Amino acid sequence: MAICLSGDTMIPGRGYAVTESLLFAPPFGSATGTANFEGEFNNRDVPVTISLNPANTGTNWNFIGNPYPSAIDFDAFQAANSSIIGGAAYFWSQATEPDEIYPGNEPLNFNLYDYAIYTVGSGGTAGGVASETPNGFVASCQGFFVPALSSGTATFTNSMRMADGTSNNQFFKSSNTKKSNTESTKNRLWLNLTSGNGVFNQVLVATLMVQQIIMMVCIMMLQNFLRKTMRQLFTRYQIRITQSMLYKEKVLTALMTLKLLSLV
C-alpha cells in the first residue's frame, strides 16, 4: 500500500485507500469532496511489486489496484500470476460504523466482515453491503487485496481487460453478476448471518464442499436403505425358521402319539 499526497504521482497497479476530510461529519460524512486525477490512460502492460515477508507466518496481504480505464477479469489476472498471488480478492465494502468492539490498534476499529470476497473457482461473497456480491470483474481504478504466495512481480496486461458495456458497472454500487459458460455448472450455497444489531456476514459453501455434502447425504441414504432391507430380510428369515421348527415339533409329537397308541 502506498501513501500519496496532493500533487504526488500515483504509481499504476498500486492500491490507494482514500479517506474523507476530518472536517466532514463522522463516520461517513454529511458533506462531499472532489478529487481530480490527471494523466494519460494506461494502455500497456503494468507490473506491480508483490511482497512476501517470511517472518509473517500469517497471510501476506498486498494492496493493488486495476490500472486501466476498463474492468479486468480477475480469473485471468490470477491465472497469469498464479505463482505470485493466491486466488482470492478482497474488496472493502464498508457498511458499519467503526466501533470499539472490533479488534484493532485504534480506539475505534472497522468491522473486518465488511470485506466482500471473490474466490477463483468458487465465486463471490457479499461483505458489509449484503446486496453486493463481487462478480469476478475488477472495475476501473478499483483497489483490492490479494494474498502473496511469493515475492515477485504481478503483471496486468491488456488481454485481461473487458471490452463490453457491462463488466465495468460494479464498483460496489450495482447488482450485476458475472456470466460465463461455466456459471450454470457451479454448485454454490450462500449462508447469510445477521445479528440482532445488524452486523451482516455471508459464508460461501463452494463447489467441492457442496459435492461432498451431497455425496455424504447419498451415502447416508444408501446406508439407511441397506439397514432397513437387511432388517426385513433377517426378520423374514427368523419367521421361516420359527415356522419350520414348529412344524418339526408337531411332526415329532404326532409320531410319538402314534407309537404310544401302538404299544397300547
Side-chain angles (χ1 to χ4, degrees):
M1 183 169 63
I3 298 177
C4 190
L5 303 177
S6 177
D8 289 351
T9 300
M10 301 177 69
I11 300 175
R14 284 191 179 180
Y16 293 88
V18 180
T19 59
E20 63 187 14
S21 171
L22 295 177
L23 298 178
F24 293 170
F28 299 109
S30 58
T32 59
T34 300
N36 297 317
F37 299 89
E38 299 179 357
E40 297 181 357
F41 291 126
N42 292 307
N43 189 31
R44 55 178 175 79
D45 290 355
V46 178
V48 59
T49 300
I50 301 296
S51 299
L52 178 69
N53 180 9
N56 180 6
T57 57
T59 303
N60 282 247
W61 295 105
N62 283 248
F63 191 36
I64 61 177
N66 178 6
Y68 297 120
S70 61
I72 62 169
D73 188 332
F74 180 75
D75 288 0
F77 173 70
Q78 194 277 329
N81 300 280
S82 58
S83 63
I84 304 295
I85 62 172
Y90 278 63
F91 304 92
W92 183 240
S93 179
Q94 184 180 348
T96 54
E97 300 180 9
D99 198 291
E100 61 184 4
I101 65 174
Y102 302 128
N105 56 0
E106 298 293 336
L108 300 178
N109 296 286
F110 291 101
N111 184 1
L112 296 179
Y113 290 111
D114 276 358
Y115 279 104
I117 307 167
Y118 179 81
T119 306
V120 174
S122 299
T125 56
V129 182
S131 61
E132 292 295 339
T133 301
N135 57 20
F137 298 129
V138 182
S140 175
C141 299
Q142 173 78 69
F144 56 100
F145 284 93
V146 292
L149 300 180
S150 62
S151 294
T153 300
T155 303
F156 295 92
T157 66
N158 283 328
S159 62
M160 304 168 186
R161 299 173 64 179
M162 304 303 300
D164 59 76
T166 59
S167 299
N168 202 36
N169 288 349
Q170 188 187 51
F171 200 87
F172 294 95
K173 293 182 180 180
S174 66
S175 58
N176 285 11
T177 56
K178 182 177 179 180
K179 301 294 183 181
S180 68
N181 293 332
T182 60
E183 184 71 21
S184 60
T185 64
K186 292 181 179 179
N187 300 315
R188 295 172 292 183
L189 295 175
W190 287 268
L191 302 178
N192 293 335
L193 308 175
T194 305
S195 66
N197 59 355
V199 177
F200 173 82
N201 186 30
Q202 185 181 76
V203 179
L204 170 64
V205 182
T207 305
L208 181 59
M209 188 173 293
V210 172
Q211 291 176 345
Q212 291 175 341
I213 293 174
I214 294 174
M215 182 64 68
M216 290 176 60
V217 171
C218 291
I219 292 174
M220 292 174 62
M221 292 176 64
L222 179 59
Q223 289 176 338
N224 188 42
F225 172 76
L226 291 176
R227 280 196 297 266
K228 289 183 177 179
T229 302
M230 294 300 295
R231 190 180 298 114
Q232 291 175 354
L233 291 174
F234 183 70
T235 302
R236 292 177 183 176
Y237 181 69
Q238 281 186 319
I239 292 173
R240 289 180 180 178
I241 292 177
T242 303
Q243 291 176 342
S244 177
M245 292 178 64
L246 290 174
Y247 176 74
K248 289 180 179 179
E249 289 179 359
K250 290 180 179 180
V251 171
L252 290 174
T253 302
L255 290 174
M256 291 179 66
T257 302
L258 291 173
K259 187 173 183 179
L260 290 173
L261 289 174
S262 64
L263 293 176
V264 174

